[in-house]
Amino acid sequence: MGKRTYSKATKETLNDLKSDSRAYRYEEDGNKYGLLILYRGETLFYQENDRALLCGIAARFAFINPETIAHWDDNTVINTEERATILEKIITLYKKAYKDDLQVF
């Protein structure tokens, strides 16, 4: 997978979402998390402490594409091990927030 980066406008959007009151907020294991379905249910905002990312989902069918968990808002690339950890956390929080079992596709 090639290195993808967020545009300046997307970084600004991510920064705004970090304090968006519509996001579901959780605190677990000393970490703070945020989760919000965006647009037409095609994108998921995920925040872990001060870092955030956008990934591809199909909210209507409760599917997530783990390959879209590629980098943080500072464009730090997410490796395979970290992606698996993030995916697991997203699935757990999604169930709490949206009452659906998020499936991987």
Side-chain angles (χ1 to χ4, degrees):
M1 179 182 339
K3 183 173 176 353
R4 294 178 279 185
T5 59
Y6 292 122
S7 68
K8 183 178 179 181
T10 302
K11 284 182 183 182
E12 289 174 9
T13 298
L14 279 162
N15 199 41
D16 291 343
L17 286 167
K18 288 179 181 180
S19 60
D20 193 314
S21 63
R22 298 173 299 159
Y24 288 89
R25 303 287 175 186
Y26 300 97
E27 193 164 339
E28 298 178 354
D29 306 321
N31 292 310
K32 294 180 180 180
Y33 300 97
L35 204 67
L36 182 64
I37 295 173
L38 299 172
Y39 312 121
R40 294 183 174 174
E42 301 156 349
T43 304
L44 183 71
F45 164 75
Y46 171 76
Q47 180 179 356
E48 183 177 311
N49 298 317
D50 293 333
R51 303 186 304 173
L53 59 84
L54 299 174
C55 61
I57 64 166
R60 181 176 184 163
F61 304 106
F63 287 136
I64 185 169
N65 182 351
E67 293 300 314
T68 61
I69 302 171
H71 56 280
W72 292 106
D73 55 342
D74 64 359
N75 289 324
T76 301
V77 175
I78 296 170
N79 65 35
T80 305
E81 296 82 29
E82 188 178 16
R83 181 178 299 113
T85 302
I86 293 167
L87 179 61
E88 184 178 318
K89 182 54 77 176
I90 288 173
I91 290 170
T92 301
L93 296 177
Y94 194 92
K95 176 71 173 179
K96 288 181 181 183
Y98 298 106
K99 313 299 186 237
D100 281 328
D101 292 314
L102 197 58
Q103 303 295 314
V104 175
F105 71 83

